[in-house]
Amino acid sequence: MQRLLPLLIFFLCFSAFTQQEELSLDYYLPQDVSYNEEIPKPQDIIGYIPGEWHVTHDLLLNYMRELARVSPRIEVENRGKTYEGRPLILLIITSEENHNNLEEIRENHLALTRENASSLNTEEMPIVVNQGFSIHGNEASGSNAALLAAYHLAAAEGEEVQELLDNTIILFDPAFNPDGLQRFSYWANTHKSENINPDPQDREYDEVWPGGRTNHYWFDMNRDWLPVQLPESQARIETFHKWMPNILTDHHEMGSNSSFFFQPGIPSRTHPLTPDINQELTKEIGTYHAAAFDELGSFYYTEENYDDFYYGKGSTFPDINGSIGILFEQGSSRGHAQETDNGILTFPFTIRNQFTAALSTLEAAKNMREKILNYQRNFYKNARNSAENGAYVFGSEKDASSAYELAKILEKHKIEIHKIKENFESDGKNFKKNSAYVVPKNQRQHRLVKAMFERRTEFEDSLFYDISAWTLPLAFNLDYAEDVKMNKAGEKIKNLEKPEIDQVEISNYAYVMHWHDFYSPKALNMILEKGLRAKVGMQPFSLENKEYDYGTILIPVQNQELEADKMHQFLQEVSQKSNVQIEGINTGLTQGVNLGSNQFRALQPAKVALIVGEGITPYDAGEIWHLFDQRYDMKITKLDTRNFSRADLSRYTDIILPNSWGSALDDSDIDKLKEWVRDGGTLIGYRNAARFFEKEDFMDLEIKKDSLVAENISFEEQRDFRGAQGIGGAIFEANIDRSHPANFGYTNDKLPLFRNTTIFVEADKQSYNNPIQYTEEPLLSGYISAPRLDSIAGTVPFKHTGMGRGNVILFTDNTNFRAFWFGTNKLLMNAIFFGDEM
Ligand SMILES: [Zn+2]
């Protein structure tokens, strides 16, 4: 390494020099290939050589569409839109002849994963490769390299490329994250100097919050391949299941001082459901990247840093689907060139590496074609042979929407699901026709199903690149049984439909709405926004053998903004839009509390602000924004930390402080916030807000001290030792007090929570102040070290304190994690609507 370094620096500087002097396509393209003059070069459409500027998504799109227009090798497909309305396109690249038989090729290819695949001849079958770029928008060398890769595949001439195209179907996704790419390109181009300045302190290399990594709602989309909640992922997953690609590549960037990484990652951190051969094939594919990089003179590494554990990542998701996912990570120049430990790293250099890896992937695919096709066939054959009989069942008697939302994920993954034949009970849980689903274990996607439903608490390694658990029925807080007989299954579902609800019966007295359904907050918000009076029941009651639980919403007919018939009409509309049942009742003489009781408390419309900006974790803030905007149709004001001192807080009933680092708010901001709470505001803090609340006297908290001492741990082992004590993301069980407004709407006495912090708050001495408390053995799924498990037992993830006329509420756990933790979203809504009753 020592002796090679000066050489490398010379090489990197040289590439910086050529870039400023005369960057041309020759810098990137293989020397021995001739190109069809009829095909436009990138600069003919976008106006510059790739690497001179950061390509914007619209120019990238223009170029791809132009290639599709002129080249018989390329077809373009539009698969929907991002949140910002950018098209999610896919290029299908193959030989003209294959294009003429594309549907037949696809059908034959899919047959490999089905029964009786053994008779198929893979000798003549093309391999399917899905290449995707820059899912993190500010890791832009990928999408910029896509310009060159697409050009090369459209324009290269000769036997070699013809052989490649005859034997390969390339599903080419030039921008996995159009909104993020656009945001980042604006930043990098805005700050580019005529004389490129590689000083890492230049503003060009220091994006403002939230940066271009994420999508519109600040999600890391490379975590959504399994939960598939975002439109970009939905398009990708549809393509994936439509084609079942054999290889899927995911082009990223990493720290500027790094070289280039390609998978396999750390062997001991591969998910145990991934077959060993998958990693062996990945390694063999790696020899093609290595050879190409050796020839280029670029450095690289493999089997370090990254892993193949969480199936929600683009490079790991394929591994549970008989495919091979490959992660590429290029040291980032961030802007146009940057000083690094390896000399000046230029943007064109990073593009060239990505382009090279894209071509070496195709070279490997072509040469290993039969082997990889056979692997895919065997994967499904072995999966079928190892599949157990029986089925999973999941549902929720009172929250049909959450069960439906989980079923939707399964449907997107083409997993076979059934209705239940008849209502039944299993392990004391009731499964009802309108709100429960059966998932047979013995089906094509059996391994994927297992990866979604299993609870895992034993691990070979104690370090994880991402979360260690994602057990979906727990994330949705659904009742489920892991082993029911297939005779419970009713008809197979072809088109999943929303749970049925009844029309709202007209009443001249009152309407009631249960608070159990996932979407009940959406309905309540519509009612309060309309200016109607509504109340929440602090105690259960019953009427004509129907039970109404804690938190039932009561809407009186008398003395309202709307006349009785208009009100009925409006509530019918609310019920339809939210898909939540609203019932008309005609007497106040209920059993338990009566409707006129003071145990029904008046509710106020929620005016919610969310603190965002420098110092706030964008993911956590974005998840909350998304929850309000996309799930509950509730307005939420994004208050920037920059302008907090000037904001008029009296407009808000609730302010949410997401996880933050450092001091997002200064002393005068803090005084202002306290005054607002004392005047009656409800402040809701997440995760690290615990330390902030404690330090700034918002709340009396006893946070456990970190008393971990290393014994027999060497210097080399210290990083792993510390890492093993973190909680990257696991699922824990809490006991809940259902009579506390924090828990209204929950039907069980236990609640699974997702946690990715090591903040442990001691329980209060008064038991009624601990409405949510971890059990003595709380680990449900995922990894936690033994000392940490001791620490968490019996602590509380929730705390409420009154302050003046207002409230301070703390959640140490993320209740809104990555838009798929439907099960705990209600906790935040309870804090918003019922904070004053706590
Ligand atoms: Zn990345």
Side-chain angles (χ1 to χ4, degrees):
M1 185 72 192
Q2 281 292 314
R3 279 171 58 190
L4 283 166
L5 206 58
L7 248 177
L8 184 73
I9 289 171
F10 167 76
F11 180 76
L12 288 165
C13 292
F14 179 73
S15 54
F17 176 76
T18 53
Q19 187 225 344
Q20 284 194 21
E21 293 308 304
E22 42 169 343
L23 184 64
S24 78
L25 286 194
D26 294 343
Y27 173 69
Y28 300 108
L29 300 176
Q31 300 307 308
D32 49 357
V33 178
S34 65
Y35 289 91
N36 180 350
E37 290 293 328
E38 311 272 292
I39 302 293
K41 298 181 173 71
Q43 60 267 35
D44 299 334
I45 304 296
I46 69 170
Y48 50 84
I49 308 266
E52 285 182 334
W53 295 92
H54 278 256
V55 74
T56 55
H57 185 260
D58 36 22
L59 287 180
L60 182 77
L61 207 66
N62 287 356
Y63 184 60
M64 297 300 159
R65 284 189 166 145
E66 184 59 17
L67 285 184
R69 197 180 67 80
V70 300
S71 169
R73 295 172 179 175
I74 302 185
E75 273 175 23
V76 65
E77 202 179 283
N78 197 355
R79 302 170 299 167
K81 283 178 179 175
T82 67
Y83 283 119
E84 293 176 17
R86 294 194 172 81
L88 291 160
I89 62 156
L90 178 78
L91 306 188
I92 300 177
I93 310 177
T94 188
S95 67
E96 204 175 342
E97 197 189 328
N98 284 343
H99 269 300
N100 293 332
N101 301 309
L102 202 60
E103 194 48 27
E104 195 189 326
I105 292 172
R106 191 180 71 86
E107 280 298 330
N108 282 339
H109 181 75
L110 288 186
L112 275 185
T113 66
R114 300 203 178 112
E115 276 179 84
N116 305 321
S118 53
S119 62
L120 297 167
N121 184 3
T122 51
E123 232 172 274
E124 301 290 321
M125 209 179 259
I127 188 168
V128 181
V129 182
N130 190 348
Q131 297 186 287
F133 301 88
S134 300
I135 197 163
H136 296 139
N138 60 3
E139 300 173 3
S141 54
S143 284
N144 284 273
L147 293 164
L148 295 154
Y151 170 69
H152 174 86
L153 293 169
E157 292 173 323
E159 260 172 51
E160 212 176 307
V161 73
Q162 198 53 51
E163 194 196 337
L164 171 72
L165 295 171
D166 284 340
N167 288 292
T168 321
I169 310 289
I170 304 162
L171 310 173
F172 192 88
D173 195 332
F176 267 163
N177 178 4
D179 295 347
L181 183 76
Q182 188 79 11
R183 205 183 312 148
F184 179 68
S185 60
Y186 146 77
W187 183 265
N189 291 336
T190 299
H191 296 92
K192 183 189 176 189
S193 301
E194 178 72 26
N195 298 289
I196 290 175
N197 183 355
D199 180 351
Q201 299 189 68
D202 191 277
R203 195 163 192 252
E204 181 176 346
Y205 312 107
D206 185 21
E207 255 184 300
V208 286
W209 199 95
R213 175 182 174 89
T214 52
N215 80 343
H216 178 75
Y217 288 99
W218 313 332
F219 281 94
D220 182 338
M221 289 199 299
N222 195 31
R223 304 293 183 267
D224 192 43
W225 290 74
L226 197 73
V228 63
Q229 295 299 312
L230 308 168
E232 297 89 346
S233 332
Q234 285 161 13
R236 271 198 285 288
I237 289 301
E238 189 160 352
T239 299
F240 188 92
H241 291 300
K242 187 175 167 190
W243 274 99
M244 300 303 280
N246 297 94
I247 300 175
L248 186 147
T249 53
D250 190 19
H251 291 253
H252 289 250
E253 289 183 359
M254 57 183 159
S256 303
N257 290 322
S258 303
S259 61
F260 189 93
F261 168 85
F262 52 83
Q263 275 181 329
I266 296 169
S268 62
R269 296 189 209 161
T270 302
H271 198 289
L273 290 178
T274 298
D276 293 342
I277 317 168
N278 168 290
Q279 296 290 299
E280 286 160 26
L281 290 168
T282 305
K283 206 165 173 169
E284 190 178 335
I285 294 170
T287 61
Y288 288 84
H289 310 313
F293 276 64
D294 286 343
E295 202 183 315
L296 202 60
S298 287
F299 276 33
Y300 54 86
Y301 68 96
T302 178
E303 296 191 65
E304 264 188 82
N305 295 22
Y306 300 94
D307 72 18
D308 251 335
F309 192 85
Y310 171 47
Y311 288 122
K313 291 190 299 165
S315 51
T316 310
F317 173 77
D319 300 343
I320 193 69
N321 287 286
S323 170
I324 300 162
I326 296 174
L327 171 69
F328 295 124
E329 294 275 356
Q330 163 66 50
S332 181
S333 66
R334 218 44 96 185
H336 292 85
Q338 203 178 147
E339 289 166 16
T340 73
D341 289 355
N342 301 313
I344 291 173
L345 178 62
T346 70
F347 186 40
F349 178 79
T350 66
I351 294 173
R352 189 172 64 173
N353 283 344
Q354 299 275 24
F355 171 67
T356 302
L359 293 197
S360 55
T361 301
L362 295 174
E363 176 76 6
K366 188 185 72 174
N367 292 341
M368 294 169 66
R369 182 178 56 82
E370 239 186 290
K371 192 190 273 189
I372 295 175
L373 287 168
N374 290 338
Y375 164 70
Q376 183 179 37
R377 171 162 58 187
N378 285 333
F379 178 96
Y380 283 96
K381 190 174 130 199
N382 295 339
R384 256 191 305 274
N385 291 343
S386 65
E388 307 96 21
N389 289 318
Y392 298 95
V393 60
F394 65 88
S396 169
E397 208 183 329
K398 295 183 172 159
D399 176 10
S401 293
S402 289
Y404 163 76
E405 292 290 345
L406 174 52
K408 243 164 75 178
I409 295 180
L410 304 182
E411 188 187 46
K412 290 196 176 94
H413 284 297
K414 310 286 181 237
I415 289 168
E416 183 184 329
I417 40 178
H418 293 247
K419 293 188 168 170
I420 62 173
K421 198 186 267 170
E422 275 153 19
N423 295 348
F424 70 97
E425 198 202 296
S426 175
D427 296 338
K429 295 157 193 160
N430 286 311
F431 297 99
K432 293 268 165 72
K433 273 182 129 174
N434 192 35
S435 59
Y437 304 87
V438 172
V439 189
K441 290 184 181 172
N442 193 348
Q443 60 169 300
R444 191 175 72 124
Q445 303 280 59
H446 136 83
R447 282 181 173 157
L448 180 62
V449 171
K450 194 164 181 176
M452 289 174 166
F453 280 76
E454 70 168 12
R455 277 171 49 181
R456 189 174 283 272
T457 51
E458 310 249 327
F459 300 89
E460 192 188 335
D461 204 311
S462 49
L463 295 174
F464 299 86
Y465 187 79
D466 197 71
I467 55 175
S468 60
W470 52 86
T471 315
L472 292 181
L474 296 180
F476 283 75
N477 187 35
L478 295 170
D479 290 329
Y480 76 115
E482 293 176 88
D483 205 9
V484 298
K485 295 229 156 53
M486 266 309 282
N487 63 14
K488 300 288 185 211
E491 63 179 293
K492 189 172 155 182
I493 296 176
K494 291 210 181 74
N495 281 309
L496 185 66
E497 276 165 22
K498 282 189 180 175
E500 282 170 26
I501 55 163
D502 298 329
Q503 295 280 313
V504 182
E505 276 179 50
I506 190 154
S507 168
N508 285 317
Y509 193 74
Y511 293 91
V512 290
M513 175 177 81
H514 294 288
W515 191 245
H516 301 119
D517 193 274
F518 178 82
Y519 288 106
S520 49
K522 176 174 171 171
L524 175 61
N525 185 64
M526 285 177 80
I527 292 164
L528 294 173
E529 279 243 291
K530 188 77 176 173
L532 294 176
R533 290 189 302 114
K535 293 182 169 188
V536 58
M538 300 297 286
Q539 288 183 20
F541 59 93
S542 63
L543 177 67
E544 292 164 359
N545 297 325
K546 275 194 190 165
E547 304 289 328
Y548 296 86
D549 205 353
Y550 298 102
T552 298
I553 303 297
L554 166 68
I555 309 121
V557 175
Q558 231 177 57
N559 197 20
Q560 292 275 24
E561 290 284 315
L562 296 176
E563 299 292 326
D565 57 336
K566 285 269 161 54
M567 186 157 152
H568 172 252
Q569 233 172 54
F570 174 70
L571 291 177
Q572 179 62 34
E573 187 191 322
V574 170
S575 177
Q576 287 300 317
K577 281 193 177 156
S578 57
N579 212 57
V580 175
Q581 188 67 59
I582 297 175
E583 301 165 30
I585 55 178
N586 293 308
T587 173
L589 193 61
T590 44
Q591 285 82 55
V593 287
N594 302 136
L595 298 192
S597 162
N598 285 337
Q599 290 302 315
F600 286 92
R601 307 278 169 79
L603 296 169
Q604 302 302 322
K607 304 268 180 244
V608 185
L610 172 69
I611 301 179
V612 304
E614 240 19 277
I616 303 292
T617 307
Y619 303 139
D620 293 44
E623 286 158 1
I624 295 168
W625 176 24
H626 175 268
L627 178 71
F628 276 71
D629 200 27
Q630 291 287 329
R631 296 267 152 82
Y632 293 136
D633 281 340
M634 286 171 72
K635 290 187 195 78
I636 187 165
T637 301
K638 302 184 290 302
L639 271 187
D640 202 294
T641 50
R642 211 163 24 97
N643 290 327
F644 194 81
S645 61
R646 283 190 280 144
D648 170 13
L649 301 189
S650 71
R651 299 169 70 101
Y652 312 111
T653 54
D654 300 78
I655 295 179
I656 305 173
L657 175 64
N659 191 58
S660 59
W661 60 85
S663 43
L665 300 174
D666 67 21
D667 286 349
S668 65
D669 293 340
I670 291 165
D671 291 342
K672 183 173 168 168
L673 199 52
K674 277 186 182 164
E675 202 184 304
W676 170 83
V677 175
R678 286 195 195 98
D679 282 349
T682 296
L683 175 64
I684 302 163
Y686 272 100
R687 301 213 283 151
N688 247 339
R691 301 193 197 284
F692 173 77
F693 284 174
E694 185 201 30
K695 182 164 163 269
E696 306 297 343
D697 295 322
F698 279 89
M699 197 176 238
D700 266 341
L701 279 177
E702 209 179 312
I703 301 175
K704 283 194 184 177
K705 294 271 176 302
D706 189 347
S707 54
L708 209 62
V709 179
E711 283 172 43
N712 299 319
I713 302 291
S714 70
F715 177 76
E716 188 191 6
E717 291 162 338
Q718 70 162 331
R719 240 187 96 181
D720 287 1
F721 168 74
R722 301 254 31 132
Q725 304 309 321
I727 303 177
I731 306 172
F732 300 94
E733 185 174 58
N735 287 315
I736 62 170
D737 170 359
R738 296 201 318 106
S739 73
H740 193 287
N743 299 318
F744 282 0
Y746 289 105
T747 49
N748 297 332
D749 296 328
K750 302 244 192 279
L751 180 68
L753 290 144
F754 173 82
R755 153 172 279 252
N756 56 356
T757 69
T758 50
I759 298 168
F760 306 109
V761 176
E762 298 280 11
D764 196 274
K765 285 190 195 69
Q766 315 297 339
S767 60
Y768 52 77
N769 286 333
N770 301 315
I772 309 175
Q773 184 170 14
Y774 284 118
T775 60
E776 286 309 310
E777 285 178 35
L779 181 64
L780 287 175
S781 193
Y783 169 80
I784 184 170
S785 73
R788 292 299 195 204
L789 188 56
D790 284 344
S791 299
I792 189 174
T795 61
V796 294
F798 169 90
K799 199 105 186 160
H800 166 266
T801 324
M803 182 174 178
R805 290 190 285 124
N807 305 283
V808 182
I809 293 172
L810 170 72
F811 292 102
T812 57
D813 299 2
N814 184 351
T815 63
N816 317 300
F817 190 61
R818 292 182 185 165
F820 77 93
W821 262 82
F822 281 69
T824 45
N825 286 151
K826 179 92 26 90
L827 293 175
L828 174 56
M829 290 298 129
N830 287 344
I832 299 278
F833 287 111
F834 314 138
D836 283 338
E837 309 307 329
M838 290 177 184

